[in-house]
Protein backbone atom coordinates (compact mmCIF):
# COMPACT_ATOMS: atom_id res chain seq x y z
CA UNK A 1 0.00 0.00 0.00
CA UNK A 2 1.00 3.65 -0.31
CA UNK A 3 1.66 5.53 2.93
CA UNK A 4 3.25 8.73 4.27
CA UNK A 5 6.49 7.67 5.99
CA UNK A 6 8.67 9.66 8.39
CA UNK A 7 12.39 9.60 7.43
CA UNK A 8 13.71 12.32 9.72
CA UNK A 9 13.15 16.01 10.46
CA UNK A 10 11.26 17.69 7.61
CA UNK A 11 11.71 14.56 5.51
CA UNK A 12 8.54 12.64 4.76
CA UNK A 13 7.52 10.85 1.59
CA UNK A 14 4.77 8.64 0.23
CA UNK A 15 6.26 5.17 -0.16
CA UNK A 16 5.20 1.62 -0.90
CA UNK A 17 5.00 -0.25 2.41
CA UNK A 18 3.56 -3.56 3.55
CA UNK A 19 -0.23 -3.63 3.57
CA UNK A 20 -1.96 -3.13 6.89
CA UNK A 21 -3.77 -6.36 7.77
CA UNK A 22 -5.84 -8.13 10.40
CA UNK A 23 -3.42 -9.29 13.12
CA UNK A 24 -5.78 -10.24 15.95
CA UNK A 25 -9.40 -11.44 16.05
CA UNK A 26 -10.51 -8.09 17.52
CA UNK A 27 -9.05 -6.04 14.62
CA UNK A 28 -10.79 -4.36 11.72
CA UNK A 29 -9.21 -3.23 8.46
CA UNK A 30 -10.18 0.19 7.16
CA UNK A 31 -9.88 1.60 3.67
CA UNK A 32 -8.99 5.20 4.44
CA UNK A 33 -11.11 7.81 2.66
CA UNK A 34 -9.97 10.90 4.58
CA UNK A 35 -7.02 11.46 6.90
CA UNK A 36 -5.91 14.84 8.24
CA UNK A 37 -2.60 16.53 8.91
CA UNK A 38 -2.74 17.62 12.55
CA UNK A 39 -0.80 20.44 14.15
CA UNK A 40 0.69 17.91 16.56
CA UNK A 41 2.05 15.96 13.57
CA UNK A 42 4.32 18.95 13.03
CA UNK A 43 6.14 18.25 16.31
CA UNK A 44 7.33 15.00 14.74
CA UNK A 45 7.86 16.54 11.31
CA UNK A 46 10.14 19.18 12.82
CA UNK A 47 12.15 16.60 14.75
CA UNK A 48 10.89 17.71 18.15
CA UNK A 49 9.99 14.18 19.27
CA UNK A 50 11.72 10.80 19.24
CA UNK A 51 9.44 9.20 16.65
CA UNK A 52 11.29 6.45 14.85
CA UNK A 53 12.20 6.65 11.18
CA UNK A 54 9.98 4.44 9.05
CA UNK A 55 6.83 5.24 11.02
CA UNK A 56 3.63 5.77 9.04
CA UNK A 57 2.10 8.96 10.42
CA UNK A 58 -1.53 10.01 10.76
CA UNK A 59 -3.89 9.87 13.75
CA UNK A 60 -6.98 11.67 12.37
CA UNK A 61 -8.62 8.94 10.31
CA UNK A 62 -11.91 8.00 8.68
CA UNK A 63 -12.82 5.29 6.20
CA UNK A 64 -14.77 2.22 5.18
CA UNK A 65 -14.53 -1.14 6.94
CA UNK A 66 -13.38 -3.73 4.40
CA UNK A 67 -12.53 -6.66 6.72
CA UNK A 68 -13.10 -7.64 10.34
CA UNK A 69 -11.54 -10.25 12.59
CA UNK A 70 -13.48 -13.24 13.92
CA UNK A 71 -13.81 -11.52 17.31
CA UNK A 72 -15.46 -8.37 15.98
CA UNK A 73 -19.21 -8.33 16.56
CA UNK A 74 -20.63 -4.81 16.30
CA UNK A 75 -18.65 -3.28 13.42
CA UNK A 76 -19.56 -4.61 9.99
CA UNK A 77 -17.92 -4.65 6.57
CA UNK A 78 -19.22 -1.66 4.65
CA UNK A 79 -19.62 0.59 7.71
CA UNK A 80 -18.21 4.09 7.44
CA UNK A 81 -16.30 4.79 10.63
CA UNK A 82 -14.26 7.51 12.28
CA UNK A 83 -11.42 6.42 14.56
CA UNK A 84 -10.54 8.21 17.80
CA UNK A 85 -6.87 9.13 17.65
CA UNK A 86 -6.31 7.41 20.99
CA UNK A 87 -6.49 3.63 20.94
CA UNK A 88 -8.20 2.04 23.93
CA UNK A 89 -8.77 -1.56 24.96
CA UNK A 90 -12.18 -0.99 26.55
CA UNK A 91 -11.53 -3.13 29.61
CA UNK A 92 -8.66 -1.64 31.65
CA UNK A 93 -9.30 0.52 34.72
CA UNK A 94 -8.93 3.77 32.81
CA UNK A 95 -11.02 2.75 29.80
CA UNK A 96 -13.82 1.53 32.06
CA UNK A 97 -13.72 4.94 33.77
CA UNK A 98 -14.00 6.76 30.45
CA UNK A 99 -10.34 7.79 30.43
CA UNK A 100 -9.64 6.21 27.05
CA UNK A 101 -6.78 8.60 26.31
CA UNK A 102 -4.85 6.87 29.09
CA UNK A 103 -5.46 3.19 28.27
CA UNK A 104 -3.23 0.89 30.33
CA UNK A 105 -3.32 -2.01 27.86
CA UNK A 106 -2.77 -0.76 24.32
CA UNK A 107 0.72 0.64 24.97
CA UNK A 108 2.31 -1.51 27.69
CA UNK A 109 4.35 0.46 30.20
CA UNK A 110 2.65 3.72 29.29
CA UNK A 111 -0.74 5.32 29.78
CA UNK A 112 -2.17 5.99 26.34
CA UNK A 113 -1.79 4.77 22.76
CA UNK A 114 -2.40 6.35 19.37
CA UNK A 115 -2.01 5.80 15.64
CA UNK A 116 1.26 6.94 14.09
CA UNK A 117 2.56 9.00 16.98
CA UNK A 118 5.77 9.21 19.01
CA UNK A 119 5.82 7.23 22.28
CA UNK A 120 2.21 6.13 21.76
CA UNK A 121 2.79 2.50 20.88
CA UNK A 122 3.80 0.43 17.85
CA UNK A 123 0.79 1.38 15.73
CA UNK A 124 1.18 2.82 12.26
CA UNK A 125 -0.95 5.76 11.28
CA UNK A 126 -3.65 6.29 8.72
CA UNK A 127 -2.01 8.64 6.24
CA UNK A 128 -2.13 5.58 4.04
CA UNK A 129 -4.47 3.54 1.91
CA UNK A 130 -5.25 1.05 4.70
CA UNK A 131 -5.32 1.12 8.50
CA UNK A 132 -5.45 -1.66 11.07
CA UNK A 133 -7.83 -0.79 13.93
CA UNK A 134 -7.20 -2.72 17.18
CA UNK A 135 -10.14 -3.48 19.51
CA UNK A 136 -12.40 -2.41 16.68
CA UNK A 137 -15.72 -2.87 18.45
CA UNK A 138 -14.54 -0.45 21.12
CA UNK A 139 -12.64 2.08 19.01
CA UNK A 140 -14.56 2.48 15.75
CA UNK A 141 -17.35 5.07 15.76
CA UNK A 142 -19.93 4.00 13.17
CA UNK A 143 -21.25 6.97 11.19
CA UNK A 144 -24.76 7.67 9.85
CA UNK A 145 -25.87 7.33 6.24
CA UNK A 146 -24.68 10.88 5.42
CA UNK A 147 -21.05 9.97 6.22
CA UNK A 148 -19.69 10.57 2.72
CA UNK A 149 -21.78 13.70 2.21
CA UNK A 150 -20.40 15.26 5.42
CA UNK A 151 -16.96 13.68 5.37
CA UNK A 152 -15.17 16.99 6.10
CA UNK A 153 -17.24 17.34 9.26
CA UNK A 154 -17.22 13.76 10.52
CA UNK A 155 -13.46 13.29 10.13
CA UNK A 156 -12.95 16.04 12.74
CA UNK A 157 -14.40 13.60 15.30
CA UNK A 158 -11.10 11.72 15.20
CA UNK A 159 -9.30 14.39 17.21
CA UNK A 160 -9.65 18.13 16.93
CA UNK A 161 -13.38 18.55 17.56
CA UNK A 162 -13.44 16.34 20.69
CA UNK A 163 -10.11 17.84 21.79
CA UNK A 164 -11.45 21.37 21.47
CA UNK A 165 -14.55 20.32 23.39
CA UNK A 166 -12.33 18.64 26.00
CA UNK A 167 -10.58 21.97 26.54
CA UNK A 168 -13.91 23.58 27.42
CA UNK A 169 -14.81 20.62 29.63
CA UNK A 170 -11.50 20.88 31.52
CA UNK A 171 -12.15 24.61 31.93
CA UNK A 172 -15.75 23.90 33.00
CA UNK A 173 -17.22 26.42 30.56
CA UNK A 174 -20.88 27.08 31.33
CA UNK A 175 -23.81 29.25 30.34
CA UNK A 176 -23.00 32.96 30.37
CA UNK A 177 -19.26 32.49 30.91
CA UNK A 178 -16.60 34.57 29.23
CA UNK A 179 -13.86 32.43 27.69
CA UNK A 180 -10.40 33.21 26.33
CA UNK A 181 -8.70 30.64 24.09
CA UNK A 182 -5.00 30.94 23.34
CA UNK A 183 -4.38 29.69 19.81
CA UNK A 184 -6.56 29.92 16.69
CA UNK A 185 -5.26 26.74 15.12
CA UNK A 186 -7.71 23.92 14.40
CA UNK A 187 -8.03 22.88 18.06
CA UNK A 188 -8.46 26.46 19.26
CA UNK A 189 -11.16 27.03 16.65
CA UNK A 190 -12.94 23.85 17.75
CA UNK A 191 -12.68 25.02 21.37
CA UNK A 192 -14.36 28.28 20.36
CA UNK A 193 -17.10 26.38 18.56
CA UNK A 194 -17.53 24.18 21.65
CA UNK A 195 -17.65 27.16 24.01
CA UNK A 196 -20.46 28.60 21.91
CA UNK A 197 -22.23 25.23 22.06
CA UNK A 198 -21.95 25.25 25.86
CA UNK A 199 -23.57 28.69 26.13
CA UNK A 200 -20.57 30.98 26.64
CA UNK A 201 -21.39 34.69 26.58
CA UNK A 202 -18.07 36.10 25.31
CA UNK A 203 -15.51 34.02 23.42
CA UNK A 204 -12.07 35.50 22.67
CA UNK A 205 -9.46 33.68 20.59
CA UNK A 206 -5.86 34.92 20.65
CA UNK A 207 -3.46 34.43 17.75
CA UNK A 208 -1.17 36.34 15.38
CA UNK A 209 -1.97 34.65 12.05
CA UNK A 210 -4.36 36.86 10.01
CA UNK A 211 -5.94 33.92 8.15
CA UNK A 212 -6.70 32.14 11.42
CA UNK A 213 -8.10 35.27 13.03
CA UNK A 214 -10.51 35.62 10.10
CA UNK A 215 -11.80 32.11 10.78
CA UNK A 216 -12.44 33.08 14.40
CA UNK A 217 -15.04 35.57 13.21
CA UNK A 218 -16.81 32.99 11.04
CA UNK A 219 -17.62 30.87 14.10
CA UNK A 220 -19.01 33.77 16.09
CA UNK A 221 -16.04 34.51 18.36
CA UNK A 222 -13.94 37.63 18.87
CA UNK A 223 -10.41 37.53 17.37
CA UNK A 224 -7.62 39.05 19.45
CA UNK A 225 -4.46 39.89 17.51
CA UNK A 226 -1.42 39.36 19.73
CA UNK A 227 1.15 40.46 17.15
CA UNK A 228 2.18 43.32 19.47
CA UNK A 229 2.01 41.23 22.64
CA UNK A 230 -0.92 43.10 24.15
CA UNK A 231 -3.54 40.33 24.24
CA UNK A 232 -3.73 40.04 28.03
CA UNK A 233 -4.49 43.75 28.41
CA UNK A 234 -7.11 43.54 25.67
CA UNK A 235 -8.87 40.65 27.42
CA UNK A 236 -8.83 42.49 30.73
CA UNK A 237 -10.30 45.62 29.14
CA UNK A 238 -13.04 43.61 27.45
CA UNK A 239 -14.02 41.97 30.76
CA UNK A 240 -14.20 45.14 32.91
CA UNK A 241 -10.75 44.45 34.33
CA UNK A 242 -11.83 41.17 35.92
CA UNK A 243 -10.44 38.73 33.39
CA UNK A 244 -12.27 35.95 31.56
CA UNK A 245 -14.17 33.36 33.59
CA UNK A 246 -12.50 30.45 31.78
CA UNK A 247 -9.40 29.89 29.66
CA UNK A 248 -8.28 27.23 27.18
CA UNK A 249 -4.68 26.61 26.12
CA UNK A 250 -4.58 25.28 22.55
CA UNK A 251 -0.99 25.99 21.46
CA UNK A 252 1.41 23.78 23.39
CA UNK A 253 5.10 23.72 24.10
CA UNK A 254 6.28 25.29 20.84
CA UNK A 255 4.60 28.63 21.56
CA UNK A 256 6.42 31.77 20.40
CA UNK A 257 6.23 35.32 21.69
CA UNK A 258 5.45 38.25 19.42
CA UNK A 259 9.15 38.66 18.67
CA UNK A 260 9.32 35.12 17.33
CA UNK A 261 11.23 33.63 20.27
CA UNK A 262 10.16 30.22 21.48
CA UNK A 263 8.64 30.39 24.96
CA UNK A 264 6.94 27.17 26.11
CA UNK A 265 5.40 28.75 29.21
CA UNK A 266 4.06 31.84 27.48
CA UNK A 267 0.51 30.70 26.82
CA UNK A 268 -0.19 29.22 30.22
CA UNK A 269 1.27 32.22 32.03
CA UNK A 270 -0.72 34.54 29.77
CA UNK A 271 -3.88 32.65 30.67
CA UNK A 272 -3.09 32.96 34.36
CA UNK A 273 -2.91 36.72 33.82
CA UNK A 274 -6.02 36.92 31.60
CA UNK A 275 -8.37 34.68 33.62
CA UNK A 276 -10.14 36.13 36.66
CA UNK A 277 -9.51 35.13 40.26
CA UNK A 278 -11.04 31.68 40.98
CA UNK A 279 -11.37 31.07 37.23
CA UNK A 280 -10.40 27.77 35.64
CA UNK A 281 -8.03 26.89 32.78
CA UNK A 282 -8.11 23.82 30.50
CA UNK A 283 -4.88 22.79 28.76
CA UNK A 284 -5.13 20.67 25.61
CA UNK A 285 -2.10 21.96 23.70
CA UNK A 286 0.65 19.32 23.60
CA UNK A 287 3.36 19.48 26.27
CA UNK A 288 6.05 16.79 26.48
CA UNK A 289 8.28 15.39 29.27
CA UNK A 290 11.44 15.91 27.21
CA UNK A 291 12.26 18.23 24.31
CA UNK A 292 15.96 17.70 23.42
CA UNK A 293 15.86 20.28 20.63
CA UNK A 294 14.44 23.08 22.79
CA UNK A 295 16.25 26.40 22.97
CA UNK A 296 17.02 26.37 26.72
CA UNK A 297 18.09 23.75 29.25
CA UNK A 298 14.89 23.90 31.28
CA UNK A 299 12.69 23.38 28.22
CA UNK A 300 14.82 20.44 27.15
CA UNK A 301 13.55 18.68 30.28
CA UNK A 302 9.94 19.55 29.47
CA UNK A 303 9.88 22.33 32.07
CA UNK A 304 9.32 26.08 32.07
CA UNK A 305 8.90 28.98 34.48
CA UNK A 306 5.34 28.75 35.80
CA UNK A 307 3.76 31.81 37.42
CA UNK A 308 2.57 29.75 40.36
CA UNK A 309 2.50 32.68 42.77
CA UNK A 310 -0.14 34.51 40.74
CA UNK A 311 -1.97 31.24 40.03
CA UNK A 312 -2.13 30.53 43.76
CA UNK A 313 -2.92 34.09 44.81
CA UNK A 314 -5.83 34.25 42.33
CA UNK A 315 -7.21 30.90 43.53
CA UNK A 316 -7.32 29.52 40.01
CA UNK A 317 -7.53 25.86 39.02
CA UNK A 318 -6.40 23.93 35.98
CA UNK A 319 -7.20 20.71 34.13
CA UNK A 320 -4.78 19.15 31.68
CA UNK A 321 -4.22 16.16 29.43
CA UNK A 322 -5.05 14.72 26.07
CA UNK A 323 -8.67 14.20 25.12
CA UNK A 324 -10.55 11.03 25.97
CA UNK A 325 -12.19 11.13 22.56
CA UNK A 326 -14.83 8.50 23.23
CA UNK A 327 -16.32 10.63 26.00
CA UNK A 328 -17.61 13.06 23.39
CA UNK A 329 -17.51 11.68 19.85
CA UNK A 330 -20.95 10.03 19.78
CA UNK A 331 -22.71 13.15 21.02
CA UNK A 332 -20.77 15.41 18.67
CA UNK A 333 -21.47 13.01 15.79
CA UNK A 334 -25.19 13.39 16.45
CA UNK A 335 -24.93 17.19 16.36
CA UNK A 336 -23.15 17.03 13.00
CA UNK A 337 -25.80 14.64 11.68
CA UNK A 338 -28.56 17.07 12.73
CA UNK A 339 -26.72 20.06 11.17
CA UNK A 340 -26.06 21.66 14.54
CA UNK A 341 -22.26 21.57 14.13
CA UNK A 342 -20.17 22.08 11.01
CA UNK A 343 -16.49 21.75 12.00
CA UNK A 344 -15.48 21.17 8.38
CA UNK A 345 -15.74 24.89 7.72
CA UNK A 346 -12.12 25.31 8.83
CA UNK A 347 -10.80 23.03 6.04
CA UNK A 348 -8.57 24.98 3.68
CA UNK A 349 -7.04 22.28 1.47
CA UNK A 350 -7.95 18.79 0.30
CA UNK A 351 -5.09 16.87 -1.34
CA UNK A 352 -4.50 13.38 -2.62
CA UNK A 353 -2.08 11.21 -0.70
CA UNK A 354 0.77 11.76 -3.16
CA UNK A 355 0.65 15.48 -2.26
CA UNK A 356 1.11 14.79 1.46
CA UNK A 357 4.73 15.95 1.66
CA UNK A 358 3.74 19.25 0.04
CA UNK A 359 0.88 19.55 2.51
CA UNK A 360 3.22 19.03 5.46
CA UNK A 361 5.70 21.58 4.14
CA UNK A 362 3.14 24.30 3.51
CA UNK A 363 1.26 23.71 6.76
CA UNK A 364 4.51 23.75 8.73
CA UNK A 365 5.60 26.98 7.02
CA UNK A 366 2.29 28.56 8.12
CA UNK A 367 1.65 29.75 4.59
CA UNK A 368 -1.30 32.08 4.40
CA UNK A 369 -4.55 30.16 4.12
CA UNK A 370 -3.16 26.75 5.10
CA UNK A 371 -5.33 26.20 8.17
CA UNK A 372 -6.45 22.57 7.94
CA UNK A 373 -5.31 19.99 5.42
CA UNK A 374 -7.22 16.82 4.49
CA UNK A 375 -5.67 13.94 2.54
CA UNK A 376 -7.67 11.53 0.40
CA UNK A 377 -5.76 8.31 -0.35
Amino acid sequence: MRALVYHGPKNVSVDDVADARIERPTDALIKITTTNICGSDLHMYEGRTDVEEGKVLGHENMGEVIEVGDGVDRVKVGDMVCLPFNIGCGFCKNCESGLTGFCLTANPGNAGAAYGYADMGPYNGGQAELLRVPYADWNALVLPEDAREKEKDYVMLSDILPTGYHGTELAQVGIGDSVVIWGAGPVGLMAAMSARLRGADQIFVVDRQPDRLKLVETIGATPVDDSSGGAVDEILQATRGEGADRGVEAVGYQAHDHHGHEAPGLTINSLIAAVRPTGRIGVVGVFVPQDPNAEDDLAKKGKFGFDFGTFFFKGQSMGTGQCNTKQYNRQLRNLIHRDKLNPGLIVSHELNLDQAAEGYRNFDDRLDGWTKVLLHP
Side-chain angles (χ1 to χ4, degrees):
M1 68 178 185
R2 302 282 284 165
L4 189 284
V5 179
Y6 176 81
H7 297 290
K10 299 197 175 184
N11 182 7
V12 295
S13 62
V14 177
D15 302 338
D16 289 314
V17 302
D19 285 354
R21 59 183 178 83
I22 299 289
E23 298 180 17
R24 301 180 64 181
T26 50
D27 291 348
L29 188 64
I30 309 300
K31 178 183 178 182
I32 294 291
T33 56
T34 300
T35 177
N36 309 338
I37 300 176
C38 179
S40 59
D41 287 329
L42 299 182
H43 301 310
M44 295 180 291
Y45 179 72
E46 294 174 1
R48 298 294 292 269
T49 68
D50 59 356
V51 64
E52 64 271 23
E53 294 185 18
K55 188 86 162 182
V56 176
L57 304 184
H59 59 272
E60 297 188 4
N61 305 308
M62 173 178 168
E64 179 183 352
V65 179
I66 60 172
E67 186 180 352
V68 296
D70 292 340
V72 175
D73 180 62
R74 179 180 63 88
V75 176
K76 308 298 184 185
V77 171
D79 283 344
M80 290 293 294
V81 296
C82 187
L83 293 318
F85 75 92
N86 29 38
I87 300 168
C89 67
F91 52 79
C92 73
K93 181 177 181 179
N94 282 346
C95 283
E96 286 189 341
S97 301
L99 304 174
T100 55
F102 303 89
C103 176
L104 301 172
T105 302
N107 186 14
N110 296 277
Y115 301 99
Y117 206 84
D119 301 318
M120 299 296 281
Y123 308 98
N124 273 328
Q127 289 170 6
E129 293 174 323
L130 301 171
L131 177 68
R132 172 197 168 219
V133 178
Y135 307 108
D137 274 336
W138 175 250
N139 288 302
L141 177 70
V142 178
L143 299 172
E145 64 276 2
D146 58 356
R148 293 188 183 273
E149 174 190 345
K150 297 180 178 179
E151 195 147 346
K152 288 195 296 186
D153 295 310
Y154 283 125
V155 72
M156 302 306 175
L157 294 168
S158 59
D159 181 357
I160 64 167
L161 177 55
T163 294
Y165 191 90
H166 187 55
T168 63
E169 179 73 10
L170 290 172
Q172 298 177 0
V173 174
I175 295 172
D177 280 342
S178 56
V179 183
V180 56
I181 299 160
W182 236 268
V187 169
L189 293 168
M190 295 298 98
M193 189 176 290
S194 300
R196 185 186 65 188
L197 183 69
R198 294 169 70 106
D201 171 38
Q202 294 175 291
I203 306 169
F204 306 98
V205 186
V206 179
D207 207 290
R208 293 191 294 273
Q209 294 286 117
D211 55 340
R212 293 182 170 186
L213 291 170
K214 288 179 182 176
L215 277 173
V216 171
E217 293 181 320
T218 68
I219 58 177
T222 301
V224 178
D225 186 349
D226 195 37
S227 56
S228 63
V232 170
D233 288 338
E234 188 170 337
I235 298 303
L236 293 174
Q237 290 173 12
T239 55
R240 303 168 301 282
E242 298 175 0
D245 298 308
R246 313 292 174 187
V248 176
E249 201 288 336
V251 178
Y253 71 107
Q254 286 187 252
H256 289 71
D257 65 21
H258 63 285
H259 298 296
H261 302 137
E262 193 164 295
L266 174 69
T267 51
I268 288 181
N269 288 331
S270 295
L271 282 162
I272 291 170
V275 170
R276 68 170 174 84
T278 72
R280 186 169 173 85
I281 299 166
V283 181
V284 289
V286 174
F287 289 83
V288 294
Q290 294 91 29
D291 180 15
N293 293 317
E295 295 182 0
D296 67 72
D297 290 338
L298 199 61
K300 289 178 180 178
K301 300 176 183 178
K303 303 176 182 179
F304 57 81
F306 179 75
D307 192 1
F308 186 76
T310 302
F311 181 72
F312 174 87
F313 194 76
K314 293 176 79 170
Q316 294 170 334
S317 56
M318 184 182 295
T320 70
Q322 67 170 298
C323 175
N324 306 299
T325 307
K326 281 178 61 65
Q327 281 192 336
Y328 316 112
N329 64 354
R330 285 177 179 267
Q331 301 94 315
L332 294 170
R333 174 199 64 187
N334 296 344
L335 292 173
I336 291 171
H337 180 55
R338 298 299 179 189
D339 297 319
K340 297 181 184 297
L341 274 180
N342 58 335
L345 64 83
I346 72 166
V347 173
S348 59
H349 293 78
E350 297 184 71
L351 310 176
N352 62 51
L353 185 62
D354 287 333
Q355 296 173 293
E358 172 193 350
Y360 266 86
R361 183 171 61 252
N362 292 337
F363 190 38
D364 185 59
D365 288 343
R366 307 297 195 275
L367 294 187
D368 186 59
W370 285 75
T371 52
K372 187 61 177 178
V373 182
L374 274 54
L375 304 173
H376 300 293

